[in-house]
Every structure is written in C-alpha cells, then in structure tokens.
Amino acid sequence: MILRRTCKEVSALLVAREDRDLPLVERVALRFHLAACSACPAFERQLLTMRNAFQRWRHYSEE
Amino acid sequence: MISVLHIFFMPIENQLAEHRSYLMRFARLQLRNEAWAEDAVSETMLAALSKPQSFGNRSQLKTWLVGILKHKVIDVLRQRQREVVLVDDEGDGGEELDALMFKADGHYANKPTEWGNPEQELNSRQFFTVLEACAEKLPAAMGRVFLMREWLELPSEEICKELQLTPTNLYVQLHRARLRLRECLEINWFGNRAAS
C-alpha cells in the first residue's frame, strides 16, 4: 500500500507543505488520506488559519 | 487632529524617536538578543536620517522604517550567522509534542479541534498579541529561523544559504516551530474561546 499514510505521517506532510513542494506520490497520498479521514482535515484547516494569521500579522506590523 | 499635525511637523529625528520602541519590539522578536536588536534599530535610524528624501510621501513613515529594519535585521543575521543557528539548551521538544498528539499506531490521541471562524479571529488585535507571545516563546534559534521565513519572508533556499543550514535541518526546525505555535495558539486562544 504505497499510498497509505497514518494521521501522524499526514500531519508531518501537511506541516512540511507550508515550506516546500511535496513529491507527487506524497501529494496523492495526502489527498487520498484527507478524503477518507475524519480528523486530519481539521488539522489542515488549523494550519491554513495559521498561514493566514501570519500574512495578516506581517500586514499589521507595517501599518 | 492637532496631535497628528504636531507629529507631521516634528523634525525627522523626533518622528523617528516616536517609532523606536515599536521597531525594537520586532527586532527583539526576530533576533532574540537585546544588543543585536539595538544594533539593527540604530542602523535603521541612521539609514533613515541619512536619506530622509528617499521617504518622500510614498508611504507611512512606520511602513518605510519597518522596510529598512527588515534589511538591517538580515544584515545582523548574516554577520552573526555562526551564533544564530546554535542549538538551544532547552531542546526543541519535537518528540514530546509528537507523543502528546499521537498514539503509538499513528492515530491522533485527541482529534484536532475546530478553530471556529478564522476570519473573525483574525480581525481581533488581541489574537495577534497572543500570536506574538507564542512566537516569542519559541526557543531562540528556532524562533530566529522561523521568523526569517514568516516575518522577513525569505525563501527556504535563501535561509539555508545565509545560515549555512542543510535543507533537512531547516525543515526540521520550521516543522517543530509550526507545531509548537499551533499548540500554543490552541491552549492560549482557541481553547479558551471554545471554553467561554
């Protein structure tokens, strides 16, 4: 099962994705897991909130 | 209105002094060293004083100064490269965080919570006070590297080049910083909101 990932592995991939491009196999594995998992999409949304927060923070720091 | 006009007609050195503590706050957060932060802010002030004509009216004074400060902070990081990446005494806590978040089989020990309405949260100034406090709590070396990415907006390749880090080492630092920040925000902001 080359595309099977645990939640722990997926959380690591989601965090890594913030700083670098993931290989194709990892991107596909991530998509499969997120479609089937009840926990990981919430973690993905948390990271998105953090990304938006830092964008907004940079903006505030220069206002 | 009078106070705004008052500031507008102040001599440039007085206007700069008004912004000094604000600039120090960001320099401290990024550099984690009082003397380095003083250096970066002093260099910023000198650069602004030496070329006030380059400010003109093209932006707010604070925006212009923060732009200069970012360049000066990068200069300090470059000069202090060997000290910047020294490993912190307190460790990075990466393994402890993993052990708290996940069971041995790789499933979550507790499912991640929903963080409510992100747009609403991001309109709260108080949220950014908590975010800054969380960034400040990162171990010094990790915090510097993380803020090079998130505040100075340097690409990963450039951070590696400036600090002579391997990409693997950089990604490990950034990874652990993001997990720590997530944990800190969960405890100090989103957890409190859910409870109230």
Side-chain angles (χ1 to χ4, degrees):
Chain A
M1 292 300 288
I2 195 167
L3 294 176
R4 178 170 289 177
R5 298 288 181 277
T6 65
C7 291
K8 184 175 178 178
E9 289 166 333
V10 162
S11 84
L13 288 173
L14 287 170
V15 176
R17 194 174 66 174
E18 295 296 308
D19 297 301
R20 62 186 166 94
D21 294 330
L22 297 177
L24 179 61
V25 170
E26 299 298 358
R27 294 203 304 269
V28 174
L30 198 54
R31 183 169 293 191
F32 281 11
H33 183 102
L34 288 169
C37 180
S38 63
C40 289
F43 184 78
E44 183 181 33
R45 284 191 288 276
Q46 290 180 350
L47 290 176
L48 179 63
T49 299
M50 284 172 58
R51 188 191 311 164
N52 291 337
F54 274 103
Q55 273 179 3
R56 199 76 64 92
W57 180 61
R58 279 194 296 271
H59 176 71
Y60 278 157
S61 79
E62 294 176 10
E63 257 184 354
Chain B
M1 188 65 186
I2 289 171
S3 65
V4 170
L5 285 174
H6 172 67
I7 288 172
F8 186 76
F9 289 114
M10 273 182 184
I12 181 78
E13 58 269 31
N14 292 12
Q15 290 185 51
L16 293 178
E18 294 275 311
H19 294 295
R20 190 177 176 285
S21 63
Y22 182 83
L23 296 174
M24 273 301 290
R25 197 177 100 206
F26 281 97
R28 265 192 213 107
L29 187 62
Q30 170 67 70
L31 294 168
R32 312 305 174 101
N33 179 304
E34 192 70 16
W36 300 359
E38 289 273 2
D39 286 350
V41 171
S42 298
E43 290 289 339
T44 300
M45 296 295 186
L46 288 171
L49 282 170
S50 68
K51 290 185 177 172
Q53 68 281 8
S54 67
F55 167 51
N57 283 324
R58 61 193 168 77
S59 64
Q60 287 194 355
L61 180 60
K62 188 190 280 183
T63 307
W64 182 59
L65 290 172
V66 169
I68 297 174
L69 177 66
K70 285 186 174 185
H71 286 101
K72 298 302 177 188
V73 162
I74 292 171
D75 287 346
V76 171
L77 289 167
R78 198 173 282 154
Q79 289 159 10
R80 305 281 185 171
Q81 175 254 317
R82 296 183 66 158
E83 296 160 84
V84 164
V85 292
L86 283 179
V87 175
D88 300 294
D89 292 339
E90 56 184 298
D92 56 38
E95 282 157 21
E96 291 92 329
L97 260 183
D98 271 355
L100 281 173
M101 281 176 72
F102 298 101
K103 294 187 283 196
D105 62 4
H107 284 79
Y108 279 100
N110 296 298
K111 283 187 178 181
T113 57
E114 289 296 343
W115 277 2
N117 178 353
E119 262 314 301
Q120 194 180 320
E121 307 295 347
L122 299 186
N123 283 326
S124 157
R125 287 273 175 177
Q126 206 181 348
F127 170 78
F128 290 97
T129 305
V130 172
L131 181 69
E132 256 182 61
C134 287
E136 209 169 330
K137 279 173 65 176
L138 292 173
M142 184 190 288
R144 285 184 202 117
V145 168
F146 181 73
L147 287 170
M148 284 177 85
R149 184 93 176 91
E150 288 294 351
W151 187 57
L152 298 175
E153 297 181 89
L154 297 176
S156 299
E157 304 74 41
E158 197 171 331
I159 298 174
C160 287
K161 193 177 131 200
E162 293 293 353
L163 302 182
Q164 300 192 344
L165 281 173
T166 65
T168 302
N169 196 328
L170 173 68
Y171 294 139
V172 166
Q173 291 284 316
L174 291 173
H175 184 110
R176 289 176 178 172
R178 288 186 194 286
L179 287 182
R180 275 183 171 232
L181 279 170
R182 177 199 160 274
E183 183 78 358
C184 183
L185 288 173
E186 172 97 344
I187 292 168
N188 294 292
W189 183 263
F190 293 104
N192 287 343
R193 309 280 285 179
S196 61

